[in-house]
């Protein structure tokens, strides 16, 4: 049951920009704010992590603004909030260690060599840069672009960029491992 809830939350999170765009013009922003708050609350309930409760509070603030102002801008700022939360997660892991990517790597290989520890730190830094860039572009599209451009960027291009980063990192990791295996 918990796994099914996680899948539903992930699917809704990924589809959020498309759902909001499709509903704009059909429903007032104050009613769409229920989608935003519901999604954030589901995520917080499914993870039960303090950071996602803070994100749900932020989403609640955005939903409240959308309700009171009956304006779509707060709804369009949710991808910015998600990027800020992810940046905080990755950046605090760099500060207080171990870096998040190192933690994930240790799930597969408990004893990481020194070069791998340095590499995972660098990858965590790259992800921080990605969240700054992606969050900045999400903010730009929310403030200055049309609803369609906002939806295309936040509902498709941002995911393509993430996929390219994942694929690129996988290729680099293979080269780094190979260089150290023969080294």
């Amino acid at each position: 049951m918990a796994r099914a809830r996680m899948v539903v939350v992930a699917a809704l999170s990924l589809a959020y920009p498309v759902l909001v765009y499709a509903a704009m013009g059909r429903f007032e922003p104050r009613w769409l704010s229920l989608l935003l708050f519901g999604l954030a609350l589901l995520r917080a309930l499914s993870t039960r992590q303090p950071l996602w409760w803070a994100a749900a509070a932020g989403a609640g603030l955005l939903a409240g603004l959308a309700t009171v102002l009956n304006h779509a801008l707060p709804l369009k700022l949710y991808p910015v909030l998600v990027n800020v939360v992810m940046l905080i997660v990755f950046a605090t892991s760099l500060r207080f260690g171990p870096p998040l990517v190192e933690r994930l790597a240790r799930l597969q290989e408990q004893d990481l060599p020194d070069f791998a520890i340095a590499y995972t730190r660098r990858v965590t830094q790259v992800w921080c840069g990605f969240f700054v860039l992606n969050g900045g572009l999400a903010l730009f599209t929310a403030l200055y672009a049309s609803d369609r451009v906002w939806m295309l960027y936040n509902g498709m291009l941002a995911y393509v960029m993430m996929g390219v980063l994942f694929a690129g990192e996988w290729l680099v990791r293979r080269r780094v491992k190979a260089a150290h295996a023969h080294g």
Side-chain angles (χ1 to χ4, degrees):
M1 182 66 167
R3 190 176 216 35
R5 185 175 36 205
M6 292 281 288
V7 169
V8 168
V9 169
L12 287 173
S13 296
L14 291 173
Y16 176 81
V18 176
L19 294 172
V20 168
Y21 178 74
M24 283 182 189
R26 293 184 176 91
F27 301 98
E28 290 183 343
R30 66 175 43 111
W31 298 112
L32 293 176
S33 68
L34 295 173
L35 170 68
L36 169 62
F37 188 63
L39 177 62
L41 196 56
L42 276 173
R43 177 177 280 172
L45 287 169
S46 66
T47 64
R48 298 189 186 273
Q49 295 174 350
L51 189 63
W52 288 111
W53 282 106
L61 177 65
L62 291 174
L65 286 170
T67 300
V68 170
L69 301 173
N70 200 26
H71 197 275
L73 179 61
L75 301 172
K76 292 167 61 175
L77 291 174
Y78 182 64
V80 178
L81 175 66
V82 171
N83 277 279
V84 168
V85 168
M86 296 305 292
L87 175 61
I88 290 169
V89 169
F90 278 70
T92 54
S93 78
L94 284 170
R95 175 75 169 103
F96 299 106
L100 186 61
V101 176
E102 179 183 337
R103 290 183 216 168
L104 295 172
R106 287 188 187 277
L107 294 175
Q108 291 183 345
E109 185 178 333
Q110 187 61 36
D111 295 321
L112 292 175
D114 289 341
F115 80 88
I117 293 170
Y119 177 78
T120 58
R121 173 172 274 292
R122 178 63 65 192
V123 172
T124 303
Q125 292 168 340
V126 168
W127 275 105
C128 286
F130 173 82
F131 294 126
V132 168
L133 174 67
N134 193 48
L137 289 170
L139 180 61
F140 180 84
T141 61
L143 294 175
Y144 302 112
S146 68
D147 292 342
R148 182 176 165 84
V149 169
W150 172 82
M151 184 270 303
L152 288 172
Y153 179 77
N154 292 284
M156 185 178 67
L157 292 176
Y159 300 131
V160 169
M161 289 172 31
M162 263 185 260
V164 167
L165 184 53
F166 271 118
E169 187 280 323
W170 181 78
L171 291 171
V172 170
R173 183 176 356 127
R174 290 183 57 167
R175 294 186 97 175
V176 168
K177 281 182 170 183
H180 283 87
H182 300 307

